[in-house]
Amino acid sequence: MKSETLERLRRVSTATLCTALFKRGLRHQFIQDVRPLAAGRPNMVGPAFTLRYIPAREDLNPISVFQDRAHPQRVAIEQCPPGAVLVIDSRKDARAASAGGILVSRLMMRGAAGIVTDGGLRDSPDIAQLPFPAYHQRPSAPTNLTLHQAIDIDVPIGCGDAPVFPGDIVVGDGEGVVVIPAHLADEVAAEATEMTVFEDFVTQRVMEGRSIVGLYPPTDPATLDDFAAWRQAQGR
Amino acid sequence: MKSETLERLRRVSTATLCTALFKRGLRHQFIQDVRPLAAGRPNMVGPAFTLRYIPAREDLNPISVFQDRAHPQRVAIEQCPPGAVLVIDSRKDARAASAGGILVSRLMMRGAAGIVTDGGLRDSPDIAQLPFPAYHQRPSAPTNLTLHQAIDIDVPIGCGDAPVFPGDIVVGDGEGVVVIPAHLADEVAAEATEMTVFEDFVTQRVMEGRSIVGLYPPTDPATLDDFAAWRQAQGR
Amino acid sequence: MKSETLERLRRVSTATLCTALFKRGLRHQFIQDVRPLAAGRPNMVGPAFTLRYIPAREDLNPISVFQDRAHPQRVAIEQCPPGAVLVIDSRKDARAASAGGILVSRLMMRGAAGIVTDGGLRDSPDIAQLPFPAYHQRPSAPTNLTLHQAIDIDVPIGCGDAPVFPGDIVVGDGEGVVVIPAHLADEVAAEATEMTVFEDFVTQRVMEGRSIVGLYPPTDPATLDDFAAWRQAQGR
Amino acid sequence: MKSETLERLRRVSTATLCTALFKRGLRHQFIQDVRPLAAGRPNMVGPAFTLRYIPAREDLNPISVFQDRAHPQRVAIEQCPPGAVLVIDSRKDARAASAGGILVSRLMMRGAAGIVTDGGLRDSPDIAQLPFPAYHQRPSAPTNLTLHQAIDIDVPIGCGDAPVFPGDIVVGDGEGVVVIPAHLADEVAAEATEMTVFEDFVTQRVMEGRSIVGLYPPTDPATLDDFAAWRQAQGR
Amino acid sequence: MKSETLERLRRVSTATLCTALFKRGLRHQFIQDVRPLAAGRPNMVGPAFTLRYIPAREDLNPISVFQDRAHPQRVAIEQCPPGAVLVIDSRKDARAASAGGILVSRLMMRGAAGIVTDGGLRDSPDIAQLPFPAYHQRPSAPTNLTLHQAIDIDVPIGCGDAPVFPGDIVVGDGEGVVVIPAHLADEVAAEATEMTVFEDFVTQRVMEGRSIVGLYPPTDPATLDDFAAWRQAQGR
Amino acid sequence: MKSETLERLRRVSTATLCTALFKRGLRHQFIQDVRPLAAGRPNMVGPAFTLRYIPAREDLNPISVFQDRAHPQRVAIEQCPPGAVLVIDSRKDARAASAGGILVSRLMMRGAAGIVTDGGLRDSPDIAQLPFPAYHQRPSAPTNLTLHQAIDIDVPIGCGDAPVFPGDIVVGDGEGVVVIPAHLADEVAAEATEMTVFEDFVTQRVMEGRSIVGLYPPTDPATLDDFAAWRQAQGR
């Protein structure tokens, strides 16, 4: 991956990235029905490190399992590489938590880039206060042992109906989270950056009163001239 | 429609309007499961201008369709009359966007009164910053082409399980959106205005410690006297 | 119930309480899919006083039923004891409201501790402004008569898939609402208080950079020594 | 109730009954999403005797509770009057059973007219073999104790989003189950019987090739003459 | 369309057709969650003739609307061309019927090829007895006026999340219903016919004990020889 | 596992097994919302062999992937041991198929004991004709490539919200499918066998007109005497 790719992804939206992926035939990369715990934050960007849950069998999930230092949930927290996003397959089930405030704090301290679950997080008001991106479906106070058994670390998973492979580049903004296949990250980041410049131009023109006809998309050739001039003036 | 009707509707709540409609036998006029992107805004009020989506067939929805100036989504944005609310039938499917920031900005600049979809909006953090009422189910980054094909403009539609006919008066507040059949707008606006005066009185009395018994509804005759005096004192 | 129990419950989280209940074999006490109307408030704590709705039969639910001072919805509001939490079984159906601003205001004025419904509240922007804890699934403008008929007061109910018996202790925080069986309130409050002290210690250590291994849970004996010292220093 | 009403209800369809109720403003009397365990049976007809479940709290629902002869589920089975239909409010939750083969067999032997739950029945293949009408959402093997606690007998309930009051007349056919308010049973049974005669006439004419225009509804006056003659010929 | 196309479509399965469509990039042509009322029937094949419902507004949907000979539901039944399949957009809402026994009978007598709704049919036990293909989500006794207002005839619709354009070729079998874009019907029918011959060969070999490795797909060259010989022997 | 365990499990119901598991604290072992494709068959019994799907990424799932002999779906079919039940984690998504007729036929020919998916099967009418137990949520014609990517073989999975570990004993009857943890199979099979004898006795007595009071459970000591005599007479 190019060195500038992560930085570029910090400056584009998940909406723009979804369009770049759509152009490549990928329609299911947006993680459905998850949202940030806190609004107005910078983008979350990093490679996916995954954790897979299955439904909890009661005899295997007493509170004492956390005594085991090899418990996959705890191991995942301690192994998630700095800069990575921990993505959890909670089978879209938010009736019990995927993780809580202490583990998320530890993940932050270890330098991870963020956490995403298609289930729920507990201690969510506390997590929302952390300077750390976290996305879930809805708050959920019950311990994960109630319904989720951590079973696998860093395998391909589904999260919110999106396929997530370890190493895919995960980007989150105020809207949600998108998963970019690793081999596409460079080109998608570059294309989305260009799209963003153009969309910023379009937005400015629209706010000045221009119609979208011929402007978006730029089917009127004059639009491209106008854009070229605007871009030069902006130094972008 | 009376000249004062729209203004009256700006000062009543969707809850009060729903009750006025309930009294007339209309129980399905509240658009289910949509919410404003921004809190604390004035009411959205205007006649409905509609857009209907069907599920997208892939061969008819490549990214290039937007090159066509006759594409119904773009046409709807450019034709929605000033003062009108664009109401989109997205089949309650928020897995892809109904529209995004640029189109919503254009709609605002053209003088529309607001936008409602029972699906999702993309660029939702940007849209939330606009001084323009927008309601949806949840944020959704994927382009509409992923799942929605714009097919019809200004026909009767369903939106959030509510029937919406072009020209119906659409009112949105911090709670959600209600659809008032056009022929009832004057009488419903007038009745809701009266109900609101009374409810303001009731609220004041309740906050002073009065029981709701005999007060709400005013089955105690003294309540009506009290209300008359209060109303006169308030000059309403 | 011990005199200090309610006070203790004001200082612990629903997440911690769920874990204490989980240890006792109770896995369904968190009310699913309800949220506070306002963020950042103190805990809601009080014994449950319940109201049960069934689906509304149209001939029994004209607007005039509220003329009847014996209507169970209104009676529940006037009978809910000071300090109690009104918990409403709305069958998880938020398509019509469970209650509105005036009734919630009256409940507040009567000294109730809060209100919870697994349906929706109307006038929700107003309710959010009250200094009174209220939890629901989502805002809902239509009058309760549209879909809900109040039928029973203070009987055992389900709310958000949790069993609620009159007198159970209901605790709400920024995450949601948990129901503690009355006979367990003392011991659960005491245990959760102890857990909270330990979790605060753990959080501090984690924020200082410590690994959770051996710390949470404290399988490393040194952790317990460290905790003992910390606790003494903190005076807790 | 007239003596012939139950007999009449055995000979009309739930579809026709729903229309007769619709004419009276009742739109929610069809129990949603339940179906008969066996096809091709005579109608189920009888007054409702109800059982209400709430979510099971684990400490109150060990297997040993059935040792208690006062357990409401067992009491309901032994108290349901001959000729009545046991209608169970299972909160539309079929993840655990509402009842099983032995209890349904006992209900049949006691002379009940049938059983309906908006959850599931266990031992469903056996129940399907009994000469006894049973309706549920889907088969469900887990014992009711897993998720359902029987709490109340013969109170008003919701079942499949329909309101059910004890004594309402419940009618089931191959399509599903409808609940007729007790005070309307006579007139609805009479009207539905008349409607059925006319619909049989219409069906015959349609199968002979006639258009529905002017026939259904009979806006062509000749249709009424034709019907009168047909009816006389049929002796109905 | 070629003359043999409809006949070919009578002899292939919806599963095979879905694969042929998948190869052409079409992934949403299977109507989700509908099933035949009767098992073991020949395929339903014909061009789509559509009917669109929106949510019913109560004042526009009294029982008397059927007196109007221009009511779209009735008009659709009388206008659906012989050989066509009536496909109804019921917004996946089966809480009220899309149509009933008399209308379906009339449709059959007029020579239509079948009926499909993503809602429910009433009089479903009767319809199941007709020699006429009918598909729905589940039986539903309430009259369509309860929740559905017929609004448009033969426009593009969604049905069970599939896009349906008038004239698309609709094929139903014991598994469900698939929608073939009109312009692809010939080639898809031809390809599916060929695929079916090969799948019949594969099935026979599998039932004789052969592994699928190298057989399905025929990556082993010997498989193609074997198939050629088998096909010749079968005269297909 | 004892040699007689599998045979015993062929003669008890999933309902009885769920009760035996409930007594051991296991409440989530019934696979929710799956049903047999054919009624009236013998029990399906065998150890679980699992296949895990994740959401399909379009670029990884063209039709050509089946050319790869290492494709996990095909490998699973060829590796599932004779006597085992193939259990597929399809994330409860039946919008595309988990497998089709040819693969199921091959599985049968290889001696597998059955197949279960919490998604759908294609060619379901054909599969229903095979003398082979198959369970799914609903028929689904689209190829699995549309939404499912086979990713893992014989790992722990969730299926219909039940945890399934490789080697767990899977039992299916006309009601559905239950998963017995391997280490409990012997004792659960033995206990369920005993329970079945008693339930057969109870059923006979109930059909003779006895009340369930004192009989079920046998709180009346005479019941146990009666049972002992009956059992001896039956030679069970």
Side-chain angles (χ1 to χ4, degrees), chain D residues 107-129:
Chain D
L107 200 61
M108 175 183 76
M109 293 305 294
R110 290 194 62 259
I115 186 170
V116 184
T117 174
D118 57 2
L121 295 172
R122 66 201 304 237
D123 307 316
S124 54
D126 297 336
I127 296 172
Q129 300 301 321

Side-chain angles (χ1 to χ4, degrees), chain E:
Chain E
M1 199 165 61
K2 290 186 185 166
S3 55
E4 65 268 34
T5 290
L6 294 185
E7 194 50 32
R8 281 175 170 165
L9 293 172
R10 282 197 182 89
R11 297 179 182 166
V12 297
S13 72
T14 56
T16 300
L17 290 167
C18 282
T19 300
L21 291 165
F22 176 86
K23 290 179 186 173
R24 286 159 178 80
L26 301 181
R27 297 153 173 272
H28 297 96
Q29 302 302 117
F30 187 67
I31 297 179
Q32 291 292 336
D33 210 11
V34 306
R35 48 199 57 80
L37 273 70
R41 299 288 180 82
N43 274 14
M44 169 184 76
V45 182
F49 182 83
T50 71
L51 176 61
R52 182 166 77 94
Y53 285 121
I54 61 168
R57 209 175 79 195
E58 292 89 336
D59 59 338
L60 299 176
N61 288 279
I63 195 74
S64 57
V65 293
F66 291 135
Q67 305 279 343
D68 178 6
R69 294 181 181 202
H71 189 276
Q73 189 206 36
R74 302 305 166 89
V75 169
I77 295 293
E78 292 290 338
Q79 288 191 346
C80 179
V85 174
L86 181 64
V87 184
I88 306 177
D89 176 349
S90 303
R91 308 176 318 288
K92 302 188 286 188
D93 190 338
R95 293 176 298 152
S98 302
I102 291 173
L103 268 61
V104 174
S105 295
R106 174 60 184 157
L107 200 61
M108 175 183 76
M109 293 306 294
R110 290 193 62 259
I115 185 170
V116 184
T117 175
D118 58 3
L121 294 171
R122 67 200 305 237
D123 308 317
S124 54
D126 297 336
I127 295 171
Q129 300 302 320
L130 296 175
F132 185 71
Y135 294 79
H136 69 168
Q137 187 193 125
R138 66 170 197 256
S140 184
T143 170
N144 65 299
L145 300 173
T146 310
L147 285 171
H148 298 307
Q149 175 165 351
I151 204 80
D152 261 340
I153 294 179
D154 223 22
V155 297
I157 60 170
C159 185
D161 289 338
V164 185
F165 290 82
D168 282 352
I169 304 303
V170 180
V171 181
D173 63 5
E175 188 139 284
V177 179
V178 68
V179 180
I180 308 171
H183 71 287
L184 294 176
D186 285 341
E187 67 179 79
V188 162
E191 180 169 322
T193 299
E194 286 298 293
M195 290 168 67
T196 300
V197 177
F198 182 69
E199 287 164 2
D200 288 350
F201 159 74
V202 167
T203 298
Q204 184 173 327
R205 287 293 175 265
V206 163
M207 296 304 278
E208 291 163 3
R210 253 210 72 173
S211 164
I212 51 174
V213 179
L215 172 70
Y216 184 66
T219 50
D220 181 344
T223 297
L224 294 177
D225 295 342
D226 185 18
F227 173 52
W230 177 91
R231 188 168 190 172
Q232 192 167 27
Q234 298 280 326
R236 292 177 74 175

Side-chain angles (χ1 to χ4, degrees), chain A residues 16-219:
Chain A
T16 300
L17 290 167
C18 282
T19 300
L21 292 165
F22 176 85
K23 290 179 185 172
R24 285 157 179 80
L26 301 181
R27 298 154 174 270
H28 297 97
Q29 302 302 116
F30 187 67
I31 297 180
Q32 293 293 335
D33 209 10
V34 306
R35 48 198 60 80
L37 273 70
R41 299 288 180 80
N43 275 13
M44 169 183 76
V45 182
F49 182 82
T50 71
L51 176 60
R52 181 165 78 93
Y53 284 122
I54 62 167
R57 211 174 77 195
E58 292 89 340
D59 59 338
L60 300 175
N61 287 280
I63 196 75
S64 57
V65 292
F66 291 134
Q67 306 279 344
D68 178 6
R69 293 179 182 206
H71 190 274
Q73 190 207 35
R74 303 303 166 90
V75 170
I77 295 292
E78 292 291 338
Q79 289 191 346
C80 180
V85 175
L86 181 64
V87 185
I88 307 177
D89 176 350
S90 303
R91 307 175 319 286
K92 302 187 287 188
D93 191 339
R95 293 176 298 154
S98 302
I102 290 171
L103 269 62
V104 173
S105 296
R106 174 63 183 153
L107 200 60
M108 176 182 76
M109 293 306 294
R110 292 194 60 259
I115 185 171
V116 185
T117 174
D118 57 3
L121 295 171
R122 66 202 302 239
D123 308 315
S124 54
D126 298 336
I127 295 172
Q129 300 301 321
L130 297 175
F132 185 70
Y135 294 79
H136 69 168
Q137 187 193 124
R138 65 170 197 255
S140 183
T143 170
N144 64 300
L145 300 173
T146 312
L147 285 171
H148 298 307
Q149 175 164 351
I151 205 80
D152 261 339
I153 294 179
D154 223 23
V155 296
I157 59 170
C159 185
D161 288 338
V164 186
F165 290 81
D168 283 352
I169 303 303
V170 180
V171 180
D173 63 6
E175 188 139 286
V177 179
V178 67
V179 180
I180 309 172
H183 71 288
L184 294 177
D186 286 340
E187 66 177 80
V188 162
E191 180 170 322
T193 300
E194 286 297 293
M195 289 168 67
T196 300
V197 178
F198 182 69
E199 287 164 2
D200 288 350
F201 159 74
V202 167
T203 298
Q204 185 173 326
R205 287 293 175 265
V206 163
M207 297 305 277
E208 292 163 3
R210 253 209 70 175
S211 163
I212 52 174
V213 179
L215 172 69
Y216 183 65
T219 50

Side-chain angles (χ1 to χ4, degrees), chain C residues 163 165, chain D residues 52-57 60-61 71 91 144-145 147-152:
Chain C
F165 290 81
Chain D
R52 182 165 79 91
Y53 284 121
I54 61 168
R57 210 175 77 194
L60 300 176
N61 288 280
H71 190 276
R91 308 176 317 287
N144 64 298
L145 300 173
L147 285 171
H148 298 306
Q149 175 165 350
I151 205 79
D152 261 340

